[in-house]
Amino acid sequence: MEITHKFNPEHKGLETERKCDASTIIIFGASGNLTRKKLMPALYKLYVQGFIGNDTKIIGVSRTYNDDNEFREAMKKAIKETETDCKGWDQFSEILDHIKADTNNDESYEDLKKEIINLETNEGCGGNRLFYLATPPESFDTIIDNLGKHDLSRPKDESCWTRIIVEKPFGRNLESAQRLDKKIGRVFREKQIYRIDHYLGKETVQNLLAFRFGNSIFEPIWNRNYIDHIQITAAETIGVEDRAAYYETAGALRDMVPNHLFQLMALIAMEPPVTFEADIVRDEKVQVFHAIEPIKYEEVSKFAARGQYIEGMINNEKVPAYVNEKDVKPDSKTETYTALKLFVQNWRWAGVPIYIRTGKRMAKFVTDITLIFKKTPHMIFRTLAKDVHVSNILSIQIQPDESITLTFNAKIPGAGMQLKPVVMDFDYSSAFGTRAGNAYERLLRDCLTGDQTLYSRRDGIEAAWAVIDYVFDRWENEKNIAVPKYASGTWGPKEADELLLRDGRRWKIL
Ligand code: BG6
């Protein structure tokens, strides 16, 4: 079958029509969830679109599959779960290879090296190499050391590139992130390192940049003079699923905040970059992290809240408490919800609180950024109508709906002067006739073309950890204090409401 490359007509003539260099993509952790659920479907799509050609090969490294066929079968099953159209599978499967290897074992890297050289010499894969660390973080150190030791980290020659994608969590706190950065820095140069945060691959997240810096009307009011406060929410209805082994060591704060939520915050709070070049955009984001006031040890309860879900109802079904989930310790103190109040202390944002919250088993699946504007300085309709002194609200919904809405007050038709908030909205799918693609597709495409704009840089990662480092310490030291609970299917513990109520505010109803 001939693969037809379907491009969005809006993309005509754009970068997206490029094909990537002939390369070898090596995935460590090939039998893991991430590879099955995200990476393979994304690589398959890139292949079907013609971005990845037959001169690129993908080597899965795992201990699980015995040969190429087993690996291919498992990947086929994985792709079928997300793709309705698998017509390109047969051709795609030809570029998949597997090496059964234990990443702790020295010999495995020699086998891998031989296979890479074989593909480059006999299958026309050029000399470009992309290593993807899709393993649990405990394996990062060993793999990185071995790639260095077996001379796999440096580009083969001057005309080729070697890159590495490192999955989150990038460290457990500031100190471990610095350690990991040092280690990886000994083996790879910063230009080769792609620290992935899949939120940056989401179309609506990138649209934040277009919205702010591609339009002139919002920037003049995007500051402390007009904005009262900002709320960022990433609420999920799913629980810990089968990831307790990881989640028990992470918790909601580590899992979502210094990475995904801070990236959203940086895009909202950053200054306009001079150009859309990787380091220039990333410089501005890092400035935001440097400007956030770190939460002090003695002030953790004033600026941070946490919670753990107990049983409750999600979509009319009863779900168990976190402590009763598979592989979770019955006395676990892991937080499944967290909320923070932060300040970006710079000229633009001084005094504007940014409240962020994230949790599992919440009332609704929604990722949203809301900017609440200051009220009018004087309300002339006060004597005519009740409750008219309402703020304008700009809401940017990242998922599941991809939309931007502006709420403002309008006159209710008829006699008198009654006002009511109404909504002006933009919806991604109706405007462009397409829904956003898989975030990994975009990020893999960028990495294969050498664009680091949507990847995190060392200084950004470390500055983000520094903001919340004491929160981990404090919660760690409070192991004997019970974690507040919230029923599954609700909006989190009362402590999170209090974070705002103390300031005379409330979480937006989403
Ligand atoms: C991952 C976290 O990074 O992001 C998960 O480890 C979380 O716990 C997921 O569920 C959320 O991603 P998305 O794209 O579904 O919002």
Side-chain angles (χ1 to χ4, degrees):
M1 187 211 68
E2 173 108 0
I3 297 199
T4 46
H5 299 145
K6 274 200 224 137
F7 292 112
N8 182 335
E10 304 269 350
H11 287 171
K12 199 146 181 48
L14 297 182
E15 275 275 293
T16 45
E17 287 192 325
R18 262 178 77 170
K19 177 178 162 301
C20 75
D21 300 332
S23 333
T24 309
I25 302 172
I26 302 102
I27 304 177
F28 291 100
S31 57
N33 254 344
L34 179 70
T35 304
R36 282 185 281 114
K37 290 193 173 159
K38 304 284 183 191
L39 301 185
M40 266 313 144
L43 288 165
Y44 171 72
K45 277 225 164 134
L46 291 174
Y47 179 80
V48 174
Q49 289 160 11
F51 177 74
I52 290 180
N54 290 323
D55 50 5
T56 288
K57 293 278 181 276
I58 300 168
I59 307 179
V61 182
S62 82
R63 277 182 302 197
T64 311
Y65 309 119
N66 286 311
D67 53 30
D68 290 353
N69 281 341
E70 269 188 29
F71 176 54
R72 288 175 183 175
E73 273 314 303
M75 296 305 115
K76 183 176 182 181
K77 210 168 136 209
I79 290 170
K80 276 195 167 160
E81 274 169 26
T82 53
E83 289 302 309
T84 40
D85 175 2
C86 290
K87 283 190 203 138
W89 167 258
D90 287 345
Q91 285 96 325
F92 178 68
S93 71
E94 301 274 306
I95 71 163
L96 298 185
D97 246 25
H98 181 263
I99 290 199
K100 190 175 168 86
D102 177 349
T103 49
N104 293 312
N105 180 346
D106 233 22
E107 278 167 31
S108 297
Y109 295 87
E110 280 308 308
D111 292 347
L112 176 62
K113 192 169 169 181
K114 268 190 223 138
E115 181 58 9
I116 295 173
I117 294 172
N118 167 39
L119 293 174
E120 289 172 350
T121 322
N122 302 319
E123 309 255 349
C125 291
N128 303 305
R129 299 164 184 177
L130 168 59
F131 295 99
Y132 199 120
L133 302 194
T135 60
E138 303 80 74
S139 309
F140 290 178
D141 277 9
T142 315
I143 299 175
I144 292 165
D145 278 345
N146 276 297
L147 291 177
K149 186 168 152 199
H150 293 269
D151 197 23
L152 282 162
S153 61
R154 297 279 164 233
K156 197 175 113 193
D157 59 50
E158 272 179 15
S159 64
C160 299
W161 50 258
T162 293
R163 298 178 186 137
I164 182 164
I165 299 186
V166 188
E167 264 296 333
K168 67 167 264 279
F170 202 86
R172 285 187 49 73
N173 52 17
L174 176 59
E175 198 234 318
S176 55
Q178 285 169 332
R179 215 174 333 110
L180 181 56
D181 268 326
K182 257 197 207 137
K183 176 168 287 283
I184 197 165
R186 276 191 220 114
V187 178
F188 291 91
R189 301 212 165 85
E190 187 61 31
K191 276 264 158 259
Q192 298 177 278
I193 308 169
Y194 288 69
R195 298 174 188 81
I196 197 164
D197 186 315
H198 80 276
Y199 266 49
L200 290 175
K202 292 182 192 278
E203 207 69 62
T204 29
V205 172
Q206 291 161 51
N207 192 43
L208 290 173
L209 289 167
F211 182 75
R212 286 194 58 200
F213 306 128
N215 296 294
S216 62
I217 56 172
F218 305 108
E219 221 28 46
I221 54 168
W222 209 263
N223 56 48
R224 68 178 194 288
N225 297 326
Y226 294 90
I227 293 174
D228 177 75
H229 72 283
I230 299 172
Q231 298 187 12
I232 303 179
T233 302
E236 299 182 280
T237 48
I238 54 169
V240 66
E241 301 183 290
D242 54 359
R243 299 169 68 224
Y246 152 74
Y247 201 81
E248 275 284 88
T249 65
L253 183 59
R254 248 183 214 107
D255 185 44
M256 293 291 287
V257 176
N259 31 64
H260 307 329
L261 293 190
F262 272 27
Q263 288 298 337
L264 298 182
M265 181 164 60
L267 293 172
I268 287 294
M270 71 197 270
E271 293 303 313
V274 184
T275 61
F276 194 57
E277 276 165 49
D279 273 330
I280 294 179
V281 173
R282 297 191 298 175
D283 282 347
E284 294 302 344
K285 287 191 347 193
V286 174
Q287 286 301 319
V288 174
F289 300 139
H290 283 311
I292 305 174
E293 214 166 66
I295 298 178
K296 298 188 184 73
Y297 187 88
E298 57 284 4
E299 290 189 334
V300 166
S301 55
K302 223 164 114 191
F303 289 93
R306 60 179 164 159
Q308 188 188 73
Y309 62 81
I310 53 172
E311 64 178 28
M313 301 295 284
I314 298 273
N315 299 330
N316 298 323
E317 269 183 36
K318 199 162 170 202
V319 294
Y322 177 70
V323 289
N324 294 328
E325 300 269 24
K326 186 168 157 270
D327 299 331
V328 173
K329 288 194 280 341
D331 59 349
S332 172
K333 295 274 191 308
T334 304
E335 82 285 355
T336 58
Y337 174 100
T338 186
L340 302 179
K341 169 177 158 183
L342 299 167
F343 286 98
V344 176
Q345 294 296 29
N346 63 14
W347 199 275
R348 185 190 285 263
W349 294 114
V352 179
I354 303 183
Y355 302 97
I356 64 183
R357 60 176 163 168
T358 182
K360 297 215 178 274
R361 288 285 192 228
M362 293 183 67
K364 197 172 169 183
F365 165 51
V366 58
T367 305
D368 173 279
I369 302 168
T370 291
L371 290 86
I372 294 98
F373 287 85
K374 289 189 170 164
K375 291 181 175 157
T376 51
H378 172 63
M379 176 43 78
I380 62 168
F381 308 115
R382 206 172 30 196
T383 52
L384 300 171
K386 281 189 278 164
D387 299 333
V388 291
H389 211 175
V390 177
S391 299
N392 297 132
I393 294 173
L394 180 74
S395 275
I396 302 164
Q397 198 162 119
I398 307 293
Q399 56 188 12
D401 295 333
E402 295 155 323
S403 64
I404 299 179
T405 55
L406 180 65
T407 309
F408 60 97
N409 298 310
K411 179 186 173 299
I412 300 175
M417 198 56 172
Q418 292 289 342
L419 269 62
K420 185 183 167 211
V422 292
V423 173
M424 210 155 74
D425 66 348
F426 152 78
D427 173 73
Y428 229 87
S429 55
S430 50
F432 293 108
T434 174
R435 282 187 74 79
N438 170 340
Y440 279 89
E441 201 180 307
R442 165 63 196 250
L443 294 171
L444 281 162
R445 180 186 279 275
D446 282 2
C447 177
L448 287 163
T449 47
D451 184 349
Q452 289 183 308
T453 314
L454 299 178
Y455 284 85
S456 305
R457 207 172 55 190
R458 174 180 184 158
D459 48 353
I461 297 262
E462 293 180 12
W465 280 119
V467 173
I468 50 173
D469 222 28
Y470 283 125
V471 183
F472 296 123
D473 287 356
R474 179 82 189 241
W475 288 352
E476 197 67 32
N477 292 342
E478 285 180 349
K479 276 272 184 283
N480 50 348
I481 297 180
V483 178
K485 302 289 188 290
Y486 61 98
S488 290
T490 66
W491 282 104
K494 68 175 188 341
E495 284 74 3
D497 294 336
E498 283 160 10
L499 206 63
L500 273 77
L501 284 175
R502 283 199 289 272
D503 301 338
R505 301 188 174 101
R506 284 175 191 283
W507 291 108
K508 186 180 169 229
I509 297 168
L510 292 169

